[in-house]
């Protein structure tokens, strides 16, 4: 897909693909577009349940961090003093 996009660009605008560095740049641009276009949001393929209760996820969540630690990031107490 990336190679096809580069080939199409090179045929339509040869001046943009006239150097090795320029070619690498366009490969990176097309590669990033391809990668970002294929990342599904987590709410589309994962279900979260806490103590038997389903949790509704927001539609814009891209990651979930699961911690079972008393502190994180240099001692930040996420759960409060218990």
């Amino acid at each position: 897909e990336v190679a096809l996009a580069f080939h199409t660009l090179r045929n339509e605008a040869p001046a943009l693909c006239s150097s090795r560095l320029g070619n690498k740049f366009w490969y990176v641009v097309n590669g990033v577009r391809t990668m970002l276009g294929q990342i599904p949001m987590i709410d589309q393929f994962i279900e979260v349940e806490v103590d038997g209760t389903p949790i509704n996820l927001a539609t814009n969540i891209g990651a979930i961090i699961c911690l079972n630690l008393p502190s994180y990031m240099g001692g930040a107490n996420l759960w409060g003093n218990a």
Side-chain angles (χ1 to χ4, degrees), residues 20-71:
R20 288 183 186 174
L21 184 60
N23 294 347
K24 290 177 184 178
F25 170 77
W26 289 114
Y27 259 93
V28 168
V29 168
N30 289 320
V32 169
R33 281 185 186 160
T34 300
M35 285 185 346
L36 294 179
Q38 295 178 351
I39 298 174
M41 289 294 141
I42 285 182
D43 70 303
Q44 296 175 2
F45 63 91
I46 193 168
E47 294 178 13
V48 177
E49 187 175 303
V50 177
D51 294 330
T53 305
I55 304 296
N56 292 327
L57 299 176
T59 57
N60 61 350
I61 290 180
I64 295 176
I65 298 175
C66 298
L67 291 174
N68 191 14
L69 303 169
S71 65

Side-chain angles (χ1 to χ4, degrees), residues 4-17:
L4 178 59
F6 175 76
H7 176 71
T8 303
L9 175 68
R10 185 174 52 193
N11 286 339
E12 291 176 358
L16 294 177
C17 305

